[in-house]
Amino acid sequence: MTSIEWPWQYNFPPFFTIQPNEETRKRQLEAWRNLVLEYHRSTRQYVLDVREAEKSPLFNNASINRKLSSEGILAVLETLQRSRNAEPINKEKTRWYVYWNTLAEWGALVYGWAQDSGLTNSVCTFYEIINTPDQEFTGMEMGVLVKALKTLEGENKAELIMFDGNNGVKFF
C-alpha cells in the first residue's frame, strides 16, 4: 500500500465536522472529495463500506482524536456522486464504488490499451483486462470494469459478452 500525503486540513479539527455555513461546507466537501479520490487512487481501493470507513485512517485521524461521522461520510459520498466519482452499490447506501477516474475515463483508458495492443476486432476476457500488468486499471474491481466497459458499449466501441460465467468484451 502506498503512503498518502495528507493535506493540511486533515490535521485541522473542524475539517472532521460538516460545517453549517454553506460556502464553507462547499469548500470543505470539495477538499474531502479530493482527499477520498487521492486515498483510493493510492491504495487502489474501488469499494468503500461506510461502516468500515468510520474506522479507517481516511475518516479517522487518531493523532488529533477526530473522526468524520457516518452522516458526514455520506455527505462526502453524495458530493462524489454528483461529480460522477462514486455511486452506491446497494439501496441502503452502505457500500459505494469510488472512481478516482470517472467511468467514461476508465473506459477510455481500457479502450486506449486495447487499441495500442492491437486488440480491436478481437475478444478479451475480463480476467485478461484486470490482470494486464503496468496499467492503471490493473487489479480493477470487476463491477467497476463492467460499468466502464458499458460506457464503451454506449459509444459503439465495444460489445460485452456475458454468459454462463464467461465474461468478455469485443473491442471495435
Side-chain angles (χ1 to χ4, degrees):
M1 182 161 94
T2 311
S3 65
I4 184 168
E5 189 173 316
W6 301 104
W8 69 268
Q9 297 99 321
Y10 188 73
N11 290 308
F12 185 58
F15 186 57
F16 289 85
T17 302
I18 299 300
Q19 297 300 302
N21 178 282
E22 187 176 337
E23 188 57 38
T24 304
R25 183 175 52 252
K26 184 178 176 182
R27 286 195 308 269
Q28 176 191 30
L29 289 172
E30 183 60 23
W32 271 112
R33 178 187 165 278
N34 293 333
L35 177 56
V36 169
L37 293 177
E38 182 54 36
Y39 182 84
H40 279 80
R41 177 191 317 267
S42 69
T43 60
R44 314 253 332 135
Q45 293 180 40
Y46 296 88
V47 177
L48 185 149
D49 184 301
V50 175
R51 294 165 295 215
E52 292 174 14
E54 292 175 351
K55 300 174 196 121
S56 80
L58 175 59
F59 295 110
N60 187 352
N61 185 339
S63 68
I64 62 169
N65 197 26
R66 299 287 293 179
K67 68 179 185 175
L68 191 62
S69 67
S70 57
E71 295 82 16
I73 294 170
L74 282 174
V76 171
L77 291 168
E78 288 166 356
T79 299
L80 285 159
Q81 184 176 23
R82 283 191 291 279
S83 64
R84 298 185 180 187
N85 291 111
E87 70 178 299
I89 296 173
N90 58 12
K91 290 179 184 174
E92 299 80 23
K93 294 187 175 185
T94 57
R95 291 178 49 80
W96 290 69
Y97 284 126
V98 176
Y99 315 122
W100 60 88
N101 290 315
T102 64
L103 292 173
E105 291 168 340
W106 278 123
L109 284 168
V110 172
Y111 190 72
W113 162 80
Q115 286 182 309
D116 293 346
S117 303
L119 297 171
T120 51
N121 295 316
S122 64
V123 177
C124 288
T125 66
F126 293 174
Y127 179 84
E128 288 175 292
I129 295 169
I130 63 174
N131 287 290
T132 301
D134 303 322
Q135 297 295 320
E136 190 168 355
F137 53 81
T138 302
M140 180 180 278
E141 165 79 31
M142 194 67 70
V144 176
L145 177 64
V146 170
K147 289 175 174 291
L149 292 173
K150 283 184 179 182
T151 68
L152 293 176
E153 196 172 46
E155 298 170 1
N156 295 317
K157 293 181 177 179
E159 180 182 355
L160 275 77
I161 303 165
M162 301 171 73
F163 63 92
D164 296 333
N166 298 312
N167 300 320
V169 60
K170 180 174 184 176
F171 295 105
F172 304 119

